[in-house]
Amino acid sequence: MKNKLIEWVKNNYSPKACGYTEMRSSGNESDVFCDGYDCGISNAAYEIGCILGMKLKEPEEQDYGF
């Protein structure tokens, strides 16, 4: 089971996707749901990877453009 989780993390973690915000989809509102999904899955994969002791690149900070 641990190996399956490690593979899932490898396939679903993207440091860049962790930084997605609704501002990224500004002007293309239909993307906001896809970006939110990608961001959520990636953040979950990062947390699970940390629990498993995997060495992962730090997730990007969310940029709200302020």
Side-chain angles (χ1 to χ4, degrees):
M1 181 56 90
K2 183 178 178 179
N3 289 333
K4 287 182 180 182
L5 283 171
I6 289 171
E7 280 304 309
W8 183 84
V9 170
K10 288 179 182 178
N11 291 326
N12 289 282
Y13 177 60
S14 165
K16 184 177 180 179
C18 288
Y20 290 173
T21 66
E22 65 275 7
M23 302 302 287
R24 182 176 185 270
S25 300
S26 182
N28 191 9
E29 281 71 23
S30 62
D31 273 352
V32 76
F33 294 105
C34 291
D35 288 349
Y37 175 83
D38 291 342
C39 180
I41 289 291
S42 190
N43 277 298
Y46 178 74
E47 294 297 325
I48 291 170
C50 288
I51 291 168
L52 294 171
M54 296 173 69
K55 295 195 186 294
L56 301 169
K57 183 178 176 187
E58 289 289 317
E60 290 187 12
E61 293 290 323
Q62 292 188 335
D63 180 11
Y64 289 98
F66 298 123

